[in-house]
């Protein structure tokens, strides 16, 4: 058994990475390992009945001291921006593995906002003109652009210092390789931590004469999450005579713009903004919905909201963006819409809605699909807990 110290910039009560770190910690403890989560910032959490040990670090110097006090056999870095520095400091003394849950990008999103197109360029000095010409940066400040580039370079350097890099989808692996990381050191793992080895339930049917279509979005309210397309699709569905309503669970800097957009689209009465919901409370919002929608326009790596919704019997409509379509390799009830296309999103939601009313799933029959590892090697997802034992400590 090992002493495993985990590193993450922030650990709190909302978000896919936070949920993963909590579940991952429980799995490590269940396997008999000793583990702690160290975070620059930490809040009380309500992910489940069992608590995991969390240490609020507060500063880089405190982080280094905490590592030396704990004397880990292994450090697992859940890659995030500010912690690159400490990884570079400690890589010569301790074996460090990384989990990567998002693209590495100076602007943070690998998205050209002028046309909502995904960026497939390697990071580097070329990002500076694109920051302005393609509007990939959220801030117009040259200082912010330079700081983003410095943080990008530091993150790539830190990842190259790690013994192994685990990532959550083929899409994200491809981006990491574009950024110069060695392909044979980047491994795709199952971020559901065994959920892919389970049966998913039949899609929850609705009455064939149901009038209201209840849509659900759960996630951060930022531009790259595409909630603006979710709102536009509701307007389009209502124009078609479908009584579509939407619930938006989450918070973020873009929330004010989204609420104004709902007013402009004349759907404010049909959309409810719930705000941030902690931990397990999100489940009751799934129960009240018919279809979950994940309209990310950045290359979403492998949002856990997809298997979470599907495990609760809900079909999920996703944009063809990043690793989102890859979930359809593992479960039915996943509907893929053209990237950043509100009209096609409305069409795809309507298709899912019609299948529910007819009692059929995307594959034509409402059924649970046993997860089978694809024969195609690049889509295979390994068990990260088992793989830890194969790491060389020499």
């Amino acid at each position: 058994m090992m002493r495993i110290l985990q590193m993450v910039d922030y650990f709190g009560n909302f978000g896919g990475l936070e949920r993963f770190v909590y579940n991952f910690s429980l799995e490590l403890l269940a396997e008999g390992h000793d583990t702690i989560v160290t975070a620059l910032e930490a809040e009380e959490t309500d992910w489940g009945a069992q608590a995991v040990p969390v240490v609020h670090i507060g500063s880089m110097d405190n982080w280094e001291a905490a590592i030396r006090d704990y004397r880990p056999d292994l450090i697992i870095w859940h890659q995030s921006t500010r912690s690159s520095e400490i990884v570079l400091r400690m890589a010569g003394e301790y074996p460090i593995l990384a989990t990567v849950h998002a693209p590495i990008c100076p602007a943070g999103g690998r998205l050209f906002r002028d046309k909502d197109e995904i960026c497939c360029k390697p990071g580097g000095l070329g990002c500076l003109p694109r920051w302005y010409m393609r509007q990939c940066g959220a801030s117009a400040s040259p200082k912010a652009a330079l700081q983003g580039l410095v943080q990008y370079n530091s993150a790539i350097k830190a990842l190259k210092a790690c013994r192994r890099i685990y990532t959550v989808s083929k899409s994200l692996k491809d981006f990491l390789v574009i950024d110069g990381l060695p392909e044979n050191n980047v491994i795709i793992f199952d971020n559901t931590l065994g959920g892919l080895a389970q049966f998913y339930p039949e899609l929850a049917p609705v009455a064939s004469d149901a009038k209201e279509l209840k849509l659900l979005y759960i996630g951060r309210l930022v531009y790259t999450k595409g909630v603006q397309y979710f709102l536009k699709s509701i307007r389009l569905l209502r124009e078609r005579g479908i009584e579509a309503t939407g619930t938006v669970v989450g918070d973020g800097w873009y929330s004010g713009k989204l609420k104004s957009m709902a007013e402009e689209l004349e759907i404010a009465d049909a959309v409810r903004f719930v705000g941030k919901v902690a931990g397990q409370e999100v489940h009751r919002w799934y129960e009240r919905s018919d279809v979950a929608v994940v309209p990310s326009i950045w290359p979403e790596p492998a949002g856990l909201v997809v298997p979470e919704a599907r495990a609760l019997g809900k079909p999920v409509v996703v944009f063809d963006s990043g690793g989102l379509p890859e979930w359809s390799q593992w479960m039915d009830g996943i509907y893929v819409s053209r990237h950043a296309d509100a009209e096609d999103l409305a069409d795809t939601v309507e298709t899912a809605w019609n299948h529910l009313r007819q009692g059929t799933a995307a594959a034509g029959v409402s059924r649970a699909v046993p997860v089978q590892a694809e024969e195609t090697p690049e889509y295979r997802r390994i068990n990260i807990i088992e793989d830890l034992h194969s790491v060389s400590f020499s």
Side-chain angles (χ1 to χ4, degrees):
M1 296 300 106
M2 294 185 285
R3 291 173 63 81
I4 300 174
L5 182 139
Q6 301 178 63
M7 296 173 52
V8 66
D9 282 3
Y10 168 78
F11 184 68
N13 218 16
F14 187 82
L17 175 57
E18 291 80 0
R19 183 185 317 155
F20 168 79
V21 172
Y22 173 79
N23 291 336
F24 181 61
S25 300
L26 292 186
E27 291 292 326
L28 291 175
L29 292 169
E31 289 285 323
H33 300 294
D34 189 87
T35 189
I36 60 170
V37 177
T38 60
L40 273 178
E41 299 178 42
E43 299 176 358
E44 290 187 13
T45 62
D46 182 30
W47 290 112
Q50 183 176 345
V52 300
V54 178
V55 178
H56 181 192
I57 295 299
S59 74
M60 292 297 173
D61 290 337
N62 289 345
W63 221 334
E64 187 169 341
I67 291 171
R68 296 191 191 284
D69 288 345
Y70 187 69
R71 293 181 296 175
D73 298 311
L74 181 66
I75 295 174
I76 297 181
W77 174 39
H78 303 294
Q79 190 276 323
S80 34
T81 304
R82 292 176 289 171
S83 41
S84 299
E85 177 187 335
I86 197 69
V87 171
L88 289 168
R89 280 194 212 173
M90 308 307 291
E93 299 182 46
Y94 299 92
I96 302 179
L97 312 182
T99 70
V100 182
H101 299 257
I104 316 297
C105 169
R110 274 199 169 273
L111 181 72
F112 295 137
R113 299 176 192 229
D114 59 341
K115 296 183 179 180
D116 285 350
E117 294 175 351
I118 291 173
C119 170
C120 296
K121 306 281 188 182
L125 290 174
C127 293
L128 295 179
R130 289 193 290 269
W131 185 283
Y132 297 99
M133 295 171 63
R134 299 302 310 270
Q135 301 174 20
C136 53
S139 169
S141 164
K143 181 179 179 181
L146 287 169
Q147 184 179 28
L149 184 58
V150 168
Q151 291 175 338
Y152 164 84
N153 288 331
S154 179
I156 296 299
K157 187 175 179 181
L159 286 171
K160 287 180 177 179
C162 294
R163 302 277 183 96
R164 190 165 294 176
I165 302 166
Y166 297 101
T167 193
V168 295
S169 64
K170 180 181 181 299
S171 168
L172 186 47
K173 177 176 180 174
D174 291 344
F175 280 119
L176 294 174
V177 172
I178 287 172
D179 282 320
L181 295 168
E183 183 174 5
N184 62 357
N185 202 37
V186 183
I187 301 168
I188 305 171
F189 78 98
D190 171 17
N191 64 333
T192 70
L193 300 173
L196 293 182
Q198 300 174 1
F199 283 83
Y200 282 83
E202 292 187 354
L203 297 176
V206 299
S208 59
D209 59 350
K211 302 300 182 185
E212 183 183 0
L213 165 56
K214 293 169 284 189
L215 302 176
L216 176 68
Y217 168 84
I218 294 180
R220 291 179 294 123
L221 303 190
V222 295
Y223 183 86
T224 54
K225 287 291 189 176
V227 187
Q228 57 272 32
Y229 289 91
F230 176 68
L231 298 180
K232 291 174 184 176
S233 71
I234 292 174
R235 168 62 187 259
L236 290 168
L237 288 165
R238 293 178 72 85
E239 287 177 350
R240 300 174 187 179
I242 298 171
E243 192 179 324
T245 60
T247 299
V248 177
V249 177
D251 200 4
W253 65 266
Y254 203 50
S255 60
K257 173 63 177 175
L258 292 171
K259 291 173 182 176
S260 296
M261 182 180 293
E263 294 281 355
E264 293 165 6
L265 292 171
E266 299 180 343
I267 58 169
D269 291 343
V271 178
R272 180 179 183 182
F273 289 88
V274 175
K276 186 184 291 187
V277 174
Q280 300 180 91
E281 290 183 29
V282 297
H283 287 187
R284 65 190 180 99
W285 296 104
Y286 286 117
E287 293 167 0
R288 298 175 182 180
S289 70
D290 297 315
V291 178
V293 181
V294 186
S296 296
I297 53 176
W298 76 310
E300 182 82 52
L304 285 172
V305 67
V306 177
E308 183 176 70
R310 190 59 197 84
L312 293 170
K314 305 301 177 182
V316 188
V317 176
V318 303
F319 269 148
D320 185 2
S321 186
L324 290 175
E326 295 179 33
W327 288 115
S328 64
Q329 300 277 340
W330 304 96
M331 59 194 77
D332 66 358
I334 309 301
Y335 295 77
V336 182
S337 171
R338 281 196 301 270
H339 177 260
D341 186 330
E343 188 80 40
D344 196 61
L345 181 60
D347 291 344
T348 309
V349 167
E350 186 173 0
T351 297
W353 170 237
N354 287 335
H355 284 167
L356 283 180
R357 292 193 296 174
Q358 295 161 9
T360 58
V365 180
S366 182
R367 58 186 174 85
V369 174
V371 173
Q372 300 172 353
E374 292 296 314
E375 293 300 323
T376 312
E378 60 264 30
Y379 284 102
R380 191 171 298 133
R381 299 184 179 187
I382 60 98
N383 181 315
I384 187 172
I385 304 290
E386 293 178 357
D387 197 67
L388 294 179
H389 297 285
S390 68
V391 178
S392 171
F393 293 93
S394 59

